[in-house]
Amino acid sequence: MNISVIVPLLNEEESLPELESWIRRVMNENNFTYEIVFVDDGSTDGSWNCIQKLRSNNQNIRGIRFRRNYGKSAALNEGFKIVQGDVVITMDADLQDSPDEIPGLYKMVAEDGYDIVSGWKKVRYDSKLAKNIPSKFYNWSTRRMTGIKLHDFNCGLKAYRNEVVKNIEIYGEMHRYIPVIAKAAGFGHIGEKVVHHQKRKFGTSKFGMSRFLRGYLDLLTITFISKFGKRPMHLFGGLGTLMFLIGFVIGIVLTVKKFAFGAYGMTNRPLFYFALIFIIVGVQLFLTGFLAELIQSTSGKQKVYGIAERL
């Protein structure tokens, strides 16, 4: 199979027929063998019924339905588990991502050898105040922190080699940082393609400031995981040892002054309390490193137990 298209969705009943028809036309025009995996992330409208009807007319369609809303990362992660195509395309269901970009994305992965190709919505049709300006700031800071030179980390339109999606796991709001996760897993050939962005025709945007703030917290998390996820003791143990040594040295200096030079009022000096704080915090950080080593393989992973149906 050439291509697997994963479409996570939440309450997108109106847009699904047009999206499926558009994808099918592009695939047939380019003679691609393909599958479309719709992942219904707990929709409360008729999205799942629509997916079932579309499948009755197109056996290339597969579906996963969650019993409740788990989020886009969980939807993509479950889709990654079942896809079979050599190249995996992810796109949003709101028709703002153009399926006409699929052949170009496929070529960059299958022929040019990229592990990941991320779409770049260079010209956007979103609200500048609500989304464009925060998005630019978010992308700038993500580039600075991760060293990956992409302009639009949050673009839903991306292409992956199958091997990439089978060797990563995402949870929380980590779908924004799949390139970062993939690079940490050894898939470092990451490219970018300018893609056409369209105005939303149906429904409402799922973007909000709460997602924006959660995204930054996840950026800190993924930066830590990518650098110290397999060796947290290197961070916590190093900081703990440094702070302990600083506090210990200050304590030794104050003790020598008291007994060798007859200095008085040792416990009235601010340095004495700084020494105690550094020693206590240093020990705590060191112990945190040990605990992190024990739980690093399982902490923070979101498990999906609510898959209701598959097609």
Side-chain angles (χ1 to χ4, degrees):
M1 184 181 295
N2 298 130
I3 298 176
S4 294
V5 180
I6 302 177
V7 184
L9 62 108
L10 175 64
N11 297 330
E12 299 286 358
E13 176 185 10
E14 295 175 303
S15 64
L16 291 179
E18 183 175 342
L19 177 62
E20 185 275 335
S21 176
W22 194 351
I23 294 174
R24 175 160 40 87
R25 175 181 61 79
V26 171
M27 297 298 184
N28 291 337
E29 287 177 353
N30 291 273
N31 296 315
F32 289 136
T33 54
Y34 73 98
E35 65 180 352
I36 307 173
V37 180
F38 289 109
V39 186
D40 184 353
D41 187 21
S43 295
T44 56
D45 64 357
S47 293
W48 184 249
N49 291 332
C50 182
I51 293 170
Q52 291 176 310
K53 291 178 182 178
L54 292 172
R55 177 176 165 78
S56 65
N57 296 318
N58 183 358
Q59 291 302 304
N60 293 317
I61 290 176
R62 306 173 70 186
I64 300 174
R65 182 189 183 193
F66 293 169
R67 294 188 183 277
R68 67 171 179 83
N69 177 249
Y70 282 90
K72 188 173 181 180
S73 291
L76 288 174
N77 199 58
E78 294 302 313
F80 288 162
K81 292 178 181 179
I82 68 170
V83 290
Q84 303 174 28
D86 295 332
V87 175
V88 179
I89 307 284
T90 61
M91 62 180 2
D92 295 334
D94 54 14
L95 296 174
Q96 291 190 281
D97 294 335
S98 171
D100 288 331
E101 304 287 351
I102 290 176
L105 292 169
Y106 174 81
K107 179 180 180 297
M108 291 182 71
V109 175
E111 298 180 18
D112 298 341
Y114 285 98
D115 295 318
I116 301 174
V117 178
S118 179
W120 174 16
K121 298 172 183 176
K122 196 170 184 178
V123 178
R124 302 183 65 104
Y125 293 97
D126 300 309
S127 167
K128 288 187 176 181
L129 182 61
K131 196 167 183 179
N132 281 9
I133 294 176
S135 180
K136 288 181 179 180
F137 178 71
Y138 153 79
N139 284 304
W140 173 83
S141 58
T142 304
R143 286 194 299 271
R144 294 295 299 269
M145 290 185 68
T146 65
I148 299 176
K149 305 302 182 183
L150 295 179
H151 291 85
D152 194 355
F153 282 86
N154 201 34
C155 180
L157 187 57
K158 289 183 172 66
Y160 311 86
R161 284 198 297 118
N162 185 283
E163 183 184 359
V164 175
V165 302
K166 297 300 184 184
N167 285 278
I168 62 174
E169 185 174 4
I170 55 176
Y171 53 91
E173 298 287 332
M174 297 297 185
H175 58 274
R176 298 179 178 89
Y177 308 111
I178 294 179
V180 183
I181 298 171
K183 184 179 179 181
F187 302 101
H189 197 188
I190 300 171
E192 188 171 52
K193 182 181 186 298
V194 176
V195 296
H196 180 63
H197 185 231
Q198 303 185 119
K199 292 183 179 180
R200 175 182 276 274
K201 294 179 64 174
F202 306 105
T204 58
S205 173
K206 310 301 187 296
F207 180 83
M209 286 307 297
S210 61
R211 290 181 62 187
F212 180 74
L213 295 175
R214 289 198 303 269
Y216 267 104
L217 295 177
D218 284 329
L219 175 58
L220 296 177
T221 300
I222 197 62
T223 301
F224 169 78
I225 290 175
S226 62
K227 292 183 178 180
F228 301 104
K230 299 298 182 183
R231 43 189 176 88
M233 191 61 178
H234 288 202
L235 175 64
F236 294 110
L239 289 175
T241 300
L242 178 62
M243 295 190 73
F244 179 86
L245 288 175
I246 292 174
F248 183 76
V249 169
I250 293 174
I252 291 295
V253 170
L254 292 177
T255 302
V256 170
K257 283 186 175 181
K258 176 176 178 62
F259 291 102
F261 301 101
Y264 293 97
M266 176 177 173
T267 57
N268 293 327
R269 297 186 179 189
L271 273 179
F272 174 77
Y273 295 99
F274 276 116
L276 289 180
I277 291 172
F278 271 85
I279 290 173
I280 293 171
V281 173
V283 171
Q284 289 179 331
L285 285 173
F286 200 83
L287 292 176
T288 298
F290 276 120
L291 293 175
E293 289 285 347
L294 293 176
I295 65 176
Q296 60 87 16
S297 62
T298 57
S299 63
K301 302 294 178 67
Q302 179 181 12
K303 303 298 182 182
V304 174
Y305 299 106
I307 294 177
E309 298 178 64
R310 292 185 187 269
L311 294 177

